[in-house]
Amino acid sequence: MNFYVAVTDNKWYHYLATLKPMPDEVNFWKPHSKTRLTTIQPGQPFLFKLKSPENAIAGGGFYLHYSVLPISMAWDAFGDKNGADSLPGLVALIQEHEAEVDSEYSIGCMVLNSPFFFDKKDWIPTPSDFSLSNQQGQYYDTSNKSGRQLWSKVESLLLERKGMAAENQEVYISDIPGGYGAAYLAKARLGQGGFKTLLLDLYQRRCAITGERTTPVLEAAHIKPFKDHGPHNPQNGLLLRADVHILFDAGYITVTPQLRVEVSHRLKGDFDNGKDYRKYHGKNLLTVPLQELVRPSREFLEWHNAIRYKG
């Protein structure tokens, strides 16, 4: 098994480690000028190696997705799960690494699921083969002695944590065909921020129905609402322009299991209008994820057609 040990901002770590309740996701951001990881796969463990003077492995999470977002959008998506208590606080934290930064500066967002933070007494010494001059991180493989020893210590600590180990190890590693990749995206329990950033990129930052590309007006829509026990999952999501999202939630627009758009005749009856939306009726979605595994599922689309749509 491969995993990554990332050099981690100590202030970011300590802020998140004390959040109550424990966050379900975190944004491990990087100034956009820094090199992004290209080989890590969704579902792979991602460990936090604190900088000197602490210089220890103090927790981790499970990699979900990488996206580039303005700091303001990262704040809207993740809030204090960015490792700061406010947008100005997040800007100030990033300024410690990159001088010319404002709220519209773009950062690399590495979304991590189910983060875990070890008690200080359980921190793991940095492996001897991890150079202190390394300012980015390092891949490890459990087929090698160093990686095997390190993961064994992490796994033991997870198994001791109440409500963490048995459940997460089953869901995030052994229960995923092949371990990682697209299957993880379909099975993982996402947070709201991960749900939004993942849909932005799966739909190539275009509204699935209209093709609109103006990112600030694009929203992550649940097909089956979260309040009705619909999950934060790409199979239960569509990226929609804000006004289309409102009509979709209200039942005036739906998408069939064949991924065709239907627009209710009640738009005209209820509002004496709707011409701009009726033009999409009967058309296929303009944008869908390239991977079939993360496209809208028949189950959720049938729910929306039967329960929500005002046909």
Side-chain angles (χ1 to χ4, degrees), residues 29-34 91-102 105-107:
W29 47 261
K30 295 165 68 74
H32 189 38
S33 62
K34 303 296 184 183
V91 171
L93 191 58
I94 296 171
Q95 284 174 337
E96 296 182 13
H97 302 270
E98 197 88 347
E100 300 298 324
V101 168
D102 60 24
Y105 174 86
S106 290
I107 54 174

Side-chain angles (χ1 to χ4, degrees), residues 198 235 271:
L198 182 57
Q235 294 176 315
F271 306 108

Side-chain angles (χ1 to χ4, degrees), residues 17-152:
T18 58
L19 275 184
K20 301 296 181 186
M22 180 181 292
D24 56 347
E25 62 182 357
V26 295
N27 179 20
F28 189 97
W29 47 261
K30 295 165 68 74
H32 189 38
S33 62
K34 303 296 184 183
T35 303
R36 65 163 290 185
L37 300 178
T38 57
T39 57
I40 191 166
Q41 296 296 311
Q44 284 187 318
F46 187 103
L47 302 182
F48 307 144
K49 204 285 294 183
L50 299 178
K51 297 179 179 180
S52 296
E54 292 170 305
N55 193 34
I57 293 171
F62 297 87
Y63 175 76
L64 173 70
H65 181 63
Y66 177 87
S67 187
V68 176
L69 296 172
I71 296 174
S72 60
M73 287 188 65
W75 180 259
D76 287 343
F78 296 99
D80 59 4
K81 298 171 188 178
N82 284 288
D85 62 0
S86 65
L87 176 56
L90 177 59
V91 171
L93 191 58
I94 296 171
Q95 284 174 337
E96 296 182 13
H97 302 270
E98 197 88 347
E100 300 298 324
V101 168
D102 60 24
S103 63
E104 296 312 306
Y105 174 86
S106 290
I107 54 174
C109 300
M110 302 187 69
V111 185
L112 306 179
N113 270 353
S114 296
F116 47 90
F117 304 91
F118 298 142
D119 295 334
K120 189 171 183 178
K121 65 180 178 59
D122 294 325
W123 286 1
I124 301 169
T126 303
S128 59
D129 61 352
F130 193 105
S131 172
L132 292 179
S133 64
N134 184 339
Q135 296 301 305
Q136 296 297 318
Q138 184 170 319
Y139 288 95
Y140 282 86
D141 191 329
T142 54
S143 65
N144 298 321
K145 181 179 178 181
S146 180
R148 184 164 56 251
Q149 289 178 338
L150 175 54
W151 183 251
S152 177

